[in-house]
Amino acid sequence: MKKYVAEPFKIKMVETIKMTTREEREKYLEEGNYNVFSLKSDYVYIDCLTDSGTGAMSDTQWAGIMTGDESYAGARSYYRLMDAVKDIFGYRFAQPVHQGRAAEKVLFPCLLKEGQYSLSNMHFDTTRGHIGLCKAKPIDLVVKEARDTVNYAPFKGNMDLERLEAFINEVGSENVGMIIMTITNNTAGGQPVSMQNIRETAVIAKKYNLPYVIDAARFAENAYFIKTREKGYEDKSIIDITREAFGYADAFTMSAKKDAIVNMGGLIGIKDNEELYNAVKGYTVPYEGFVTYGGLAGRDLEALAIGLYEGTNYDFLKYRIGQVEYLGDLLKEAGIPFQYPVGGHAIFVDAKKLLPHIPYFQFPGQALACELYLEAGIRGCDIGSYMLDLDPVTGEQPEAEMEFTRLCIPRRVYTQAHLDVIAEALINIRDNAHTIKGYEITWQPKVLRHFTAKLKPLK
């Protein structure tokens, strides 16, 4: 029997959550046009929609909020954050912003020109959206192992280096604006990227003189996987692994709402390119506010500086990823298909395998997300074809490489009993999977549709 690590903390405050009936949930889902983002949180029992900004801050972070400096310019909380970034990542320059997509909005216009390509192991939805707003094109180049959700591979998030270099040679390096390494690889199932792959991608970026950017939302979880899975890193600290990984890149964007365990915040890091940093500052002032607060209150800057260290604590990461492994083992024992091994922040249920009768254009990942809410009041979300916007040229529905329903585990929030409920609900759905219908979209925006689109179930 595998032993799981208990929580490295004790509970100091609790929040009441509401239980609902299936009849009530049917009504709430219909009123929300079958989009789980439209559900009121009061109607959700276990909320696995995202791990972004949904974690529980520590007593130390809350104490930091009380001492945060709210000065408009030059606040001491800003300088504490800058010191933390230099210490953990080894970067000379950093710019706070209000969240990860703000980091993309500020940085990407400094690197991308109209018609260029952004190459990545996999772009997440907001990343694709901001690349599109720059009138550039995202290309995903994840390794083939990511598409095999059944068999074990230690680093399914890796960049396919052969495809990467072949694509650069095919289109010409002058037509590539940047290379992005997403760690962990969220769209591939929260899968980690090896240090070797980060290093070898850097060699290709340098060979073709291309900016190399890390999407660092879950940098600490990725470092934990490197420590526990990659030879030669067993005795290195999470921060030492982080410094090495980021030393191979030129810049990073970060939603600090994940591994820094804050409810709001983001970062742009620039290793040593002062010209790029000045360009970033130029966009920050009109978009986010003065450079030393970047759209954040001083208390948020203070909590973020503290959270960066808490998120890199080995005991915390062992517990945090252990929770996801525990749920994964329950599902594996029950025969529920998911991206195996589990990622650091979520279970990605393989909706294509669980609901093989629903084609990609009827969105099996979204169908399963809706069914899970109806079954037990659990909110997850689609990471599949529904998440992909229509092709801007042809207007056709793209088919995702994987059709997942993502169940994120917020940090320091839910207990083992909550995870047991999730497993029980999925087992009940498995037994009646053949009765579940697909969905069609009745209204959608042009960009990032899955946040606000309206749907209806097919009869």
Side-chain angles (χ1 to χ4, degrees), residues 40-56:
K40 292 182 179 180
S41 63
D42 286 344
Y43 302 157
V44 176
Y45 175 48
I46 301 175
D47 203 343
C48 297
L49 180 69
T50 181
D51 62 323
S52 180
T54 58

Side-chain angles (χ1 to χ4, degrees), residues 364-395:
Q366 176 68 8
L368 180 57
C370 290
E371 192 65 26
L372 190 57
Y373 176 72
L374 292 172
E375 175 68 27
I378 298 164
R379 178 161 63 171
C381 74
D382 168 278
I383 303 290
S385 296
Y386 171 60
M387 190 180 73
L388 300 180
D389 294 330
L390 297 178
D391 187 291
V393 177
T394 66

Side-chain angles (χ1 to χ4, degrees), residues 14 94-95 100 110 159 161 179 213 215 278 299 305 357 405 416:
V14 296
Q95 176 60 60
C110 302
M159 182 85 76
L161 299 171
I179 296 173
V213 179
D215 179 339
N278 287 331
R299 55 185 175 271
H357 58 287
T405 300
Q416 182 173 311

Side-chain angles (χ1 to χ4, degrees), residues 430-456:
R430 175 205 64 190
D431 295 340
N432 298 285
H434 64 283
T435 66
I436 299 173
K437 306 294 185 182
Y439 284 77
E440 66 175 334
I441 295 173
T442 60
W443 176 87
Q444 60 187 301
K446 291 183 179 180
V447 180
L448 296 173
R449 71 178 184 188
H450 66 288
F451 288 111
T452 57
K454 299 177 182 180
L455 305 95
K456 68 176 182 180

